[in-house]
Amino acid sequence: MNEQETFVAVQKNHEGAIINFKTSTGRVLSYRKAMMEIENGLIADASVFRDETGECSIRITSSDRSMAELPLFF
């Protein structure tokens, strides 16, 4: 079985919101595609959660890093 990928970098829009993710294999995923791959078990160390407003977001699940700590890519 193949190892699950992880997120290694993020790309942000001009407002500072994450719009794309780079995986450990070098693939670039849109936010929506990343959510689908997390839900299908293809991405490790991340989860999709629904906040109090009903909005779905992605978060890193390990306690030793956060989305804010991921480097940017262009």
Side-chain angles (χ1 to χ4, degrees):
M1 183 171 156
N2 293 339
E3 260 189 62
Q4 289 177 304
E5 294 175 84
T6 58
F7 295 134
V8 297
V10 295
Q11 188 176 46
K12 296 181 179 183
N13 66 14
H14 66 281
E15 295 175 346
I18 295 172
I19 56 170
N20 292 310
F21 295 87
K22 183 178 275 189
T23 71
S24 53
T25 63
R27 293 189 309 138
V28 175
L29 304 176
S30 69
Y31 203 95
R32 181 171 301 289
K33 178 71 173 167
M35 286 196 313
M36 290 171 44
E37 292 208 7
I38 292 166
E39 290 172 340
N40 289 324
L42 301 173
I43 305 292
D45 195 25
S47 64
V48 176
F49 73 100
R50 187 177 305 275
D51 66 19
E52 55 278 348
T53 67
E55 192 84 17
C56 287
S57 299
I58 296 173
R59 80 169 78 168
I60 300 292
T61 55
S62 69
S63 60
D64 62 335
R65 66 182 191 143
S66 70
M67 289 287 190
E69 295 174 28
L70 293 176
L72 296 176
F73 75 95
F74 300 95

